[in-house]
Amino acid sequence: MTIAQTTYRQGDPSTVPVVLVHAFPVDHRIWDECADRLIDCSAGDGDPAFGVYALEMPGAGECPVPTAEQTGPVAEDGAYPEAMTRMAESYAAALRKAGFDKAVWVGISMGGYLILELHRLHPEMFAGIMLCDTKAGGDAPATRANRVAIAEECERHDTVDPVMHFAEPHDGDSVWKRSDEAVALFSGWIRSQDPRGVAWRERMAAARPDETDQLAKITVPAGIVSGTLDPSSAPDRMRPIAEQMTGTDCAFTVIEDAGHFTCVEKPDEVARAILDLWRRAAAAD
């Protein structure tokens, strides 16, 4: 699979880099401001100039939608049972191609699913791990069926309308997420996505493996970020994830007045949490 790389800072090749993995149904751009804040904070504090990169999921942004051969088997319900594993292997190859054998991996939402699968396959490629606004378990049957239904709608009508609710303001959203700026930003990001790529990611995520067993196997420095207004990954839902990371010390960062996209809603606070994780990982490396 093709994995596009965005370089926010090339960095010193002798230092461990930070790799940012985006959420659904958008692309790496959700990390743009947070990555800039991370670089500014680390430079201002005198840290070594570590690399900061974002890797694009297949079918997102400018990345091509995987072929049927690349995707692998199709389940009876239309989900892709091997796609997550194949994508994770492609991420591992992308890191090696960039010249690194390990990184501090940061994943938000669907990006969290991806880095947990990558940890299952290649724990040696982790100097640190941060899970933002995500979960470790697989989808319940109803959630899986809904993902496949959304994928079918996107493909049938060549539209991203079924996922435009991510851009709409809702009661209980953060102040920023309800702003005209936020609506315009997310609407533009989502409208620019290929409907076939949105569908592929839904089918991939629907059949992803349950990664709960990976939590206790994490031994590198770890962090969790959770927005207090996140409808699916609020602090009360993410604390059990931290508690299951029994092989490491996990820093738990609660972001007030933020929902599911903390890196966009509160980029300064998320950048500081990532920088703290990078420092712990660099000290342990």
Side-chain angles (χ1 to χ4, degrees), residues 189-205:
W189 283 341
I190 297 172
R191 288 292 182 198
S192 70
Q193 301 300 311
D194 183 336
R196 297 172 306 142
V198 171
W200 188 90
R201 283 178 279 161
E202 284 283 51
R203 294 183 187 276
M204 172 272 297

Side-chain angles (χ1 to χ4, degrees), residues 82-102:
E82 291 186 12
M84 175 65 82
T85 298
R86 293 179 178 215
M87 181 171 65
E89 289 287 12
S90 297
Y91 266 64
L95 185 71
R96 296 189 194 101
K97 184 178 180 181
F100 299 101
D101 57 9
K102 64 174 61 176

Side-chain angles (χ1 to χ4, degrees), residues 22-272:
H22 63 86
F24 176 86
V26 286
D27 55 46
H28 79 276
R29 288 174 290 180
I30 66 167
W31 286 110
D32 285 354
E33 189 169 359
C34 186
D36 287 345
R37 305 291 178 85
L38 173 62
I39 292 167
D40 289 345
C41 288
S42 66
D45 290 352
D47 293 298
F50 55 88
V52 181
Y53 306 93
L55 296 180
E56 202 90 273
M57 289 189 190
E62 299 301 317
C63 269
V65 180
T67 64
E69 182 179 5
Q70 291 171 328
T71 299
V74 180
E76 289 186 5
D77 65 355
Y80 298 152
E82 291 186 12
M84 175 65 82
T85 298
R86 293 179 178 215
M87 181 171 65
E89 289 287 12
S90 297
Y91 266 64
L95 185 71
R96 296 189 194 101
K97 184 178 180 181
F100 299 101
D101 57 9
K102 64 174 61 176
V104 172
W105 294 88
V106 182
I108 184 168
S109 192
M110 191 176 285
Y113 309 162
L114 182 281
I115 65 172
L116 282 172
E117 175 64 2
L118 181 60
H119 185 271
R120 176 187 298 279
L121 298 168
H122 296 288
E124 75 282 357
M125 301 189 82
F126 283 73
I129 184 171
M130 176 171 284
L131 302 172
C132 306
D133 313 298
T134 191
K135 61 182 180 180
D139 279 350
T143 303
R144 174 172 171 149
N146 186 58
R147 285 193 192 274
V148 174
I150 289 172
E152 291 173 347
E153 184 76 6
C154 290
E155 292 164 340
R156 184 180 303 115
H157 299 289
D158 191 31
T159 181
V160 295
D161 284 349
V163 296
M164 284 305 298
H165 63 275
F166 284 100
E168 298 165 357
H170 299 93
D171 292 341
D173 278 347
S174 67
V175 171
W176 185 84
K177 192 66 167 56
R178 287 184 278 114
S179 69
D180 291 342
E181 176 191 0
V183 173
L185 185 64
F186 272 88
S187 294
W189 283 341
I190 297 172
R191 288 292 182 198
S192 70
Q193 301 300 311
D194 183 336
R196 297 172 306 142
V198 171
W200 188 90
R201 283 178 279 161
E202 284 283 51
R203 294 183 187 276
M204 172 272 297
R208 71 187 187 279
D210 188 308
E211 307 288 3
T212 305
D213 66 336
Q214 286 306 295
L215 300 175
K217 297 177 182 178
I218 294 170
T219 58
V220 294
I224 284 179
V225 169
S226 177
T228 58
L229 302 180
D230 190 332
S232 59
S233 304
D236 63 335
R237 296 191 180 187
M238 294 202 71
R239 286 195 188 281
I241 294 178
E243 291 167 357
Q244 292 176 77
M245 291 184 181
T246 53
T248 185
D249 291 326
C250 180
F252 196 101
T253 303
V254 175
I255 309 291
E256 299 290 339
D257 189 36
H260 193 60
F261 298 95
T262 49
C263 65
V264 184
E265 298 174 56
K266 294 294 178 72
D268 286 301
E269 294 178 45
V270 176
R272 277 293 178 187

